[in-house]
Amino acid sequence: MNRFFLGVAWWRARVSARRFGFSPMEGRSPHRPRSVRRPTLHLLAMLGVLAGVSHAAEFNFDLLQQRARETAARPYAPPVSRVPAWLAGYNYLQHQNIKFDHDHAWWKKEKLPFQLQFFHPGWLFKESVQVHEVSGGQEKLIDFDPALFHYGSNRLPEAVPADMGFAGMRIHYALERSGAMSELAVFLGASYFRSLARGLHWGLSARGLALNSGGPDPEEFPRFSEFWVERPKAGAASITIHALLEGPSVAGAYRFVITPGKETMMQVKAALYFRAPPAVVGLAPLTSMFLHGENTGWSKNDFRPEVHDSDGLLMHTGAGEWLWRPLNNPALVRVSAFADASPRGFGLLQRDRDFLHYDDLEAHYHERPSAWVEPVGDWGRGSVRLVELPSPDETNDNIVAFWTPEKLPAPGEPLVFEYRLTWFGDAKGRPPAGFVASTRHGAVLDHPDRRRFVVDFDGLSLPKGVTDPEAVVTVGDGAKLIGVGSVQRIGPTGRWRAVFELSADGSGRPVELRCYLRGAEKALSETWSNLWTP
């Protein structure tokens, strides 16, 4: 699964703290007006013809969708790398020597509210992308130029091709304070992208599309091969980015409208055209890292109590139920599917914001963003899938979550979908009632065949007349509940603790567990969902 990570060692917090850069150069337009063969045409008529050509070439999502449709109608051709072999062979340190000249950030001289910077190809990023600026509906290619970068101690054996393109791009904005530009979003590698909200550090990522992730067939990684960034107006609060997705099985058009703030919102629209239907299609995929946490026990080889970018998968079902699944670092690949119809939302959250629970001065795990997917329109029937991969350390993104539709469109028909992707720190309102604050389990003294689970809930609002909520515990095949679960209030924190014990049947098969708090015949909390392997 290493190709899934796509340079995640570089992406991880410690490495991504290093900065790259780029600068603007005047681009060339790939669309030239048709020649006028009749010089005797009246000037006004000629201007009318040119105006018609300009209007026909206006760039928008519909035009990009048409290009994606035409791309999918042709046999897939693997991308031809424009990156010279000597540059593609750079190692990590050589690649890190290449720095972008921040003085040339795109739109910096114009003092626009958003700026662009580019990543240099090489090392893990051997396939370049083309980036266009869109202004007044017209697209203009942003040319690669080595003058945009500082190469440090590297010596270039030959000229870098002018048409090479970039490895990716990042968007800067005054996210933390007025006048101080900082990173807002990054698009780099395959269809990966990620973003920040105010006061947060880099953490989990998203993807345009996941194909066969956790499925029986080899995973496919389609890539954003071209970007079109709309030039923002002075004082603009949002920036719009379009992208063309290409892969062996699919071509697609994407639009991202990014609005930064305390919660950064991405309005995402996509249209996919499949050449052949993959076994597993994952929409709005999120990818993260979980090494160990309070639910897995403190690692004997790590001084930090917890190490993760996200600690759980939250789902809001079409029926209105909120489900919380703590993440795990399993011994073997584990895939869970949560069937649903018309989902209201799902996301990977970093709920635990207590620094002492991580005790890491460098990684800032307590300040990693959460990401929430909220469908626009009815996504129909399908399932939220969670893929958990074993990982020996924190350099691997080993968690994937996405929506899989039950049915795909007929051949030739597009799969069009839209969603809001929110990057945030404070999980207030998700869910609006009680939520799981921690999950722990351990051995039971004098009963080696049993396991005790301790689930803490926070944010409860008790109905009038209810002083002690009850725990509703459901145990799937493979184990049985011993007695009934007990609930106690934790005085120092104000939380409520549900405790119950299980006895496995000896088969060793994973057991599905559920627990929520109830009072006056009403659910007072989200539902804790866990997969326990005895």
Side-chain angles (χ1 to χ4, degrees):
M1 299 297 293
N2 285 340
R3 66 186 190 283
F4 164 75
F5 305 134
L6 285 166
V8 69
W10 181 83
W11 272 91
R12 300 258 41 98
R14 290 181 172 85
V15 182
S16 64
R18 302 174 183 267
R19 296 300 183 241
F20 288 72
F22 88 104
S23 81
M25 292 292 291
E26 193 64 23
R28 64 177 185 273
S29 172
H31 299 283
R32 295 182 173 87
R34 291 173 291 182
S35 61
V36 180
R37 295 186 178 184
R38 297 178 60 186
T40 58
L41 286 176
H42 190 278
L43 177 60
L44 292 178
M46 185 171 67
L47 290 175
V49 170
L50 293 177
V53 171
S54 175
H55 177 74
E58 181 176 350
F59 183 87
N60 53 35
F61 182 78
D62 291 337
L63 177 62
L64 183 58
Q65 185 173 346
Q66 174 63 28
R67 293 179 183 176
R69 181 187 302 112
E70 294 170 353
T71 300
R74 299 189 295 267
Y76 175 70
V80 177
S81 178
R82 299 183 177 94
V83 182
W86 59 266
L87 184 57
Y90 268 13
N91 60 31
Y92 169 76
L93 292 178
Q94 289 173 308
H95 190 68
Q96 286 293 298
N97 264 332
I98 306 175
K99 307 292 184 183
F100 178 73
D101 185 352
H102 300 285
D103 289 337
H104 294 296
W106 204 260
W107 303 318
K108 181 176 182 177
K109 292 182 179 179
E110 296 91 331
K111 297 182 179 180
L112 296 182
F114 296 88
Q115 296 176 6
L116 297 182
Q117 297 192 11
F118 298 154
F119 292 100
H120 197 287
W123 186 47
L124 295 174
F125 306 102
K126 297 174 173 60
E127 295 178 344
S128 58
V129 301
Q130 301 295 319
V131 182
H132 309 259
E133 179 189 41
V134 178
S135 181
Q138 300 303 301
E139 54 186 301
K140 179 180 287 188
L141 181 68
I142 300 175
D143 288 312
F144 175 87
D145 191 326
L148 304 176
F149 299 88
H150 298 299
Y151 288 84
S153 60
N154 295 324
R155 294 294 177 262
L156 308 185
E158 60 185 53
V160 180
D163 64 346
M164 182 174 68
F166 303 95
M169 65 177 183
R170 62 188 183 189
I171 299 94
H172 283 225
Y173 177 79
L175 186 62
E176 300 299 335
R177 63 183 186 274
S178 178
M181 303 298 281
S182 61
E183 290 175 310
L184 168 66
V186 169
F187 291 80
L188 178 65
S191 66
Y192 285 83
F193 62 96
R194 57 181 180 172
S195 189
L196 289 172
R198 190 174 300 128
L200 300 178
H201 287 71
W202 289 118
L204 82 166
S205 302
R207 274 192 279 173
L209 187 65
L211 296 180
N212 297 331
S213 183
D217 297 334
E219 186 162 8
E220 180 181 326
F221 293 89
R223 59 189 291 266
F224 288 139
S225 59
E226 289 190 76
F227 293 95
W228 291 261
V229 187
E230 295 188 15
R231 180 188 179 96
K233 291 182 170 56
S238 302
I239 185 169
T240 300
I241 298 170
H242 298 80
L244 178 66
L245 183 82
E246 295 187 74
S249 301
V250 67
Y254 281 75
R255 182 182 66 201
F256 304 87
V257 181
I258 307 174
T259 305
K262 183 173 176 56
E263 291 189 348
T264 292
M265 172 80 73
M266 288 185 174
Q267 189 82 14
V268 185
K269 183 175 182 179
L272 302 176
Y273 295 87
F274 291 99
R275 294 186 179 92
V280 179
V281 173
L283 306 184
L286 303 173
T287 178
S288 192
M289 180 275 295
F290 183 92
L291 187 62
H292 59 87
E294 87 271 345
N295 58 310
T296 63
W298 195 323
S299 170
K300 294 181 180 179
N301 299 318
D302 199 326
F303 75 92
R304 299 164 296 178
E306 300 184 40
V307 177
H308 49 75
D309 283 343
S310 307
D311 52 11
L313 167 66
L314 180 65
M315 293 161 280
H316 191 195
T317 71
E321 183 181 21
W322 291 86
L323 291 172
W324 174 257
R325 169 62 70 93
L327 299 179
N328 211 325
N329 183 5
L332 300 172
V333 176
R334 197 165 76 174
V335 180
S336 304
F338 303 86
D340 197 7
S342 306
R344 302 185 187 185
F346 69 92
L348 292 175
L349 273 60
Q350 184 75 317
R351 239 177 206 177
D352 193 339
R353 297 285 167 182
D354 191 329
F355 168 79
L356 292 178
H357 291 179
Y358 305 96
D359 201 16
D360 193 321
L361 292 171
E362 186 179 356
H364 295 271
Y365 285 118
H366 63 296
E367 295 177 336
R368 299 296 173 100
S370 298
W372 180 252
V373 174
E374 183 182 359
V376 173
D378 188 351
W379 279 14
R381 302 190 65 84
S383 63
V384 174
R385 293 201 184 186
L386 173 65
V387 181
E388 297 167 294
L389 308 172
S391 178
D393 54 53
E394 63 197 286
T395 63
N396 293 324
D397 275 359
N398 61 325
I399 304 294
V400 195
F402 51 84
W403 172 258
T404 298
E406 186 173 86
K407 294 182 179 179
L408 294 178
E413 294 297 318
L415 173 58
V416 180
F417 60 99
E418 191 170 355
Y419 61 97
R420 285 181 287 270
L421 176 56
T422 306
W423 307 80
F424 61 96
D426 185 5
K428 185 178 180 181
R430 299 181 179 93
F435 58 91
V436 176
S438 68
T439 300
R440 296 178 177 84
H441 59 90
V444 179
L445 186 63
D446 297 329
H447 293 280
D449 60 325
R450 295 185 187 180
R451 198 73 176 169
R452 176 178 290 123
F453 285 81
V454 178
V455 184
D456 290 353
F457 292 85
D458 202 351
L460 260 68
S461 178
L462 299 183
K464 186 176 181 179
V466 176
T467 58
D468 294 304
E470 62 175 326
V472 180
V473 182
T474 305
V475 180
D477 294 339
K480 66 178 180 178
L481 180 66
I482 305 299
V484 295
S486 65
V487 179
Q488 292 177 297
R489 189 173 186 275
I490 308 172
T493 64
R495 295 175 175 177
W496 292 88
R497 174 167 294 177
V499 181
F500 55 92
E501 295 181 8
L502 303 178
S503 177
D505 65 3
S507 65
R509 53 184 168 176
V511 182
E512 282 284 352
L513 309 174
R514 288 166 61 96
C515 176
Y516 69 93
L517 299 187
R518 181 174 64 187
E521 301 301 318
K522 176 184 176 182
L524 305 179
S525 72
E526 66 186 6
T527 299
W528 172 84
S529 170
N530 196 30
L531 186 64
W532 173 51
T533 302

